[in-house]
Amino acid sequence: MRISPILNVYRHETDNRTLITLTGEIDLNSAPLVHASLERCLHDGIRAIDVDVTAVTFFDCSGLNAFLYALLHTAAAGGSLRLLHPSPALERLVALTGSGSLFLTLPDALAGSRPPPRPSPLHQAAHRLTPAMPALPGGAL
């Protein structure tokens, strides 16, 4: 019998930003917790979300999918989502999928003195999305 890895989610509020700190493993079993935590921020009216992934020890495509889904919903609500301190493995996964320019603090989005990258089609689509479901109280999706 396999024991599910543990993922801990900590939420720290500031004036108009929220810092979500994740520790542990993000996989198929724990990605719904990531998704729910980020959606909760939007429901609570938070539009600027920073996610510290320094202490994430494992990350697969399920976790990336949860972040991309949250990114689209956050952008549709007029907000921003940033991944802070990604591991080399996470940077590689993001680079392989071509989604690095969507997360503002990854090295390929802000490297050196290069000009900012052109927004990807996914990023541009996020700013044109209309809600697929009615907004919750407070204007959150």
Side-chain angles (χ1 to χ4, degrees):
M1 180 174 162
R2 182 173 183 252
I3 298 175
S4 296
I6 295 175
L7 177 69
N8 293 302
V9 178
Y10 304 95
R11 183 172 164 179
H12 312 279
E13 304 292 328
T14 62
D15 293 333
N16 60 352
R17 293 193 87 80
T18 292
L19 173 64
I20 302 290
T21 302
L22 303 174
T23 64
E25 298 185 6
I26 304 174
D27 61 8
L28 186 60
N29 293 322
S30 60
L33 177 58
V34 173
H35 172 73
S37 299
L38 297 173
E39 284 291 311
R40 187 74 198 158
C41 290
L42 291 177
H43 180 267
D44 293 346
I46 303 296
R47 295 297 178 265
I49 305 168
D50 294 327
V51 183
D52 185 346
V53 292
T54 304
V56 172
T57 56
F58 178 82
F59 192 94
D60 67 8
C61 60
S62 301
L64 181 60
N65 187 47
F67 285 128
L68 289 172
Y69 184 83
L71 179 71
L72 289 173
H73 279 186
T74 304
S80 66
L81 177 79
R82 298 185 308 170
L83 296 181
L84 306 176
H85 314 294
S87 69
L90 175 54
E91 288 177 5
R92 185 168 189 266
L93 179 62
V94 169
L96 286 172
T97 61
S99 55
S101 63
L102 299 175
F103 298 106
L104 302 177
T105 62
L106 292 175
D108 63 344
L110 297 175
S113 61
R114 289 186 295 168
R118 292 182 43 189
S120 71
L122 181 62
H123 187 268
Q124 292 170 350
H127 293 283
R128 291 191 306 267
L129 288 178
T130 54
M133 51 187 174
L136 297 173
L141 297 177

